[in-house]
Amino acid sequence: MKKLLTLMLLPLLATSLHAAELTVIGLFKNAVLLDIDGQQQLVRTGSSHAKGARVIAADSRSAVVRYQGKTLRLQLNKRIGAHYIDSGNMEVVLQRNSNREYRTRLHINGRAADAVVDTGATTVAMSATQARQLGIRYDDAPVVSIATASGVSRGFSVQLNKLSVGGIERRQVPAVIIDGNHPHVILLGMSFLEHVDIQERGNILTLTSH
């Protein structure tokens, strides 16, 4: 019985170990020639390869592709597979939404939250409500005055032990917590962004670790 069970499990194991691989073999304005597991297809911006890769943006230098749950900026002959990530600098690629914002998912001390990239904010900023949801203690933090669109508010100056966006992670990031429920979404300000390279091209913003 044990031998039979082993033989039955082997094909399943072999299937799970197989990882589809994507290769960029041609770059054009608003189109990419993609190869996924030997199946080549010219994919235009806004469309998807038959095996699932969606092209967000493309030109003759690089393409922004959504593949296997990740948004990646890829150049010619770049190969990406489920168990392979390029060893170079980490990149996070964001697409501007209908409100002309670059929104992203970040993690603060291991807890997830939504944020908007704000190069006009000198520091990462969040409301007291968001801070409590993320388990951030600020009772004994220094009190500071924060200039907002509605006037001057009371805030608390804190250090975030760990803040990560995609694969880009920084520790001991200065932040302010503002009394009340505003801002409604965390502002990813310059206390984090100063540690990354920022490139905007069209409606695409790329953050690259130094």
Side-chain angles (χ1 to χ4, degrees), residues 13-74:
L13 180 61
T15 300
S16 66
L17 289 177
H18 175 73
E21 186 175 75
L22 175 151
T23 307
V24 176
I25 56 177
L27 287 168
F28 312 93
K29 184 178 180 180
N30 298 323
V32 189
L33 184 58
L34 297 177
D35 183 302
I36 301 181
D37 277 0
Q39 181 174 335
Q40 294 185 9
Q41 182 179 335
L42 182 68
V43 185
R44 299 191 180 280
T45 300
S47 300
S48 299
H49 190 281
K51 292 196 173 183
R54 181 173 179 81
V55 176
I56 297 173
D59 57 30
S60 59
R61 293 173 293 179
S62 64
V64 178
V65 177
R66 183 74 178 171
Y67 184 55
Q68 296 177 337
K70 295 182 175 63
T71 302
L72 307 160
R73 183 180 293 278
L74 304 176

Side-chain angles (χ1 to χ4, degrees), residues 4-165:
L4 178 60
L5 183 60
T6 302
L7 289 173
M8 291 174 64
L9 286 176
L10 280 176
L12 296 177
L13 180 61
T15 300
S16 66
L17 289 177
H18 175 73
E21 186 175 75
L22 175 151
T23 307
V24 176
I25 56 177
L27 287 168
F28 312 93
K29 184 178 180 180
N30 298 323
V32 189
L33 184 58
L34 297 177
D35 183 302
I36 301 181
D37 277 0
Q39 181 174 335
Q40 294 185 9
Q41 182 179 335
L42 182 68
V43 185
R44 299 191 180 280
T45 300
S47 300
S48 299
H49 190 281
K51 292 196 173 183
R54 181 173 179 81
V55 176
I56 297 173
D59 57 30
S60 59
R61 293 173 293 179
S62 64
V64 178
V65 177
R66 183 74 178 171
Y67 184 55
Q68 296 177 337
K70 295 182 175 63
T71 302
L72 307 160
R73 183 180 293 278
L74 304 176
Q75 296 177 327
L76 200 62
N77 298 320
K78 180 69 66 168
R79 288 180 172 82
I80 296 293
H83 303 293
Y84 171 81
I85 299 177
D86 184 61
S87 60
N89 293 339
M90 297 300 299
E91 283 190 347
V92 174
V93 182
L94 306 175
Q95 186 172 23
R96 186 156 51 191
N97 62 21
S98 58
N99 294 324
R100 302 188 66 78
E101 298 172 330
Y102 292 108
R103 292 239 180 179
T104 185
R105 193 76 168 162
L106 53 71
H107 288 80
I108 296 176
N109 302 334
R111 297 192 183 186
D114 291 326
V116 60
V117 175
D118 188 351
T119 56
T122 57
T123 186
V124 174
M126 71 186 75
S127 68
T129 301
Q130 291 162 337
R132 288 192 293 271
Q133 291 172 346
L134 293 170
I136 300 172
R137 297 288 302 274
Y138 61 91
D139 301 3
D140 300 325
V143 177
V144 294
S145 295
I146 306 296
T148 66
S150 57
V152 178
S153 301
R154 186 176 70 151
F156 302 87
S157 178
V158 299
Q159 295 274 333
L160 304 177
N161 294 332
K162 183 170 67 173
L163 192 160
S164 60
V165 179

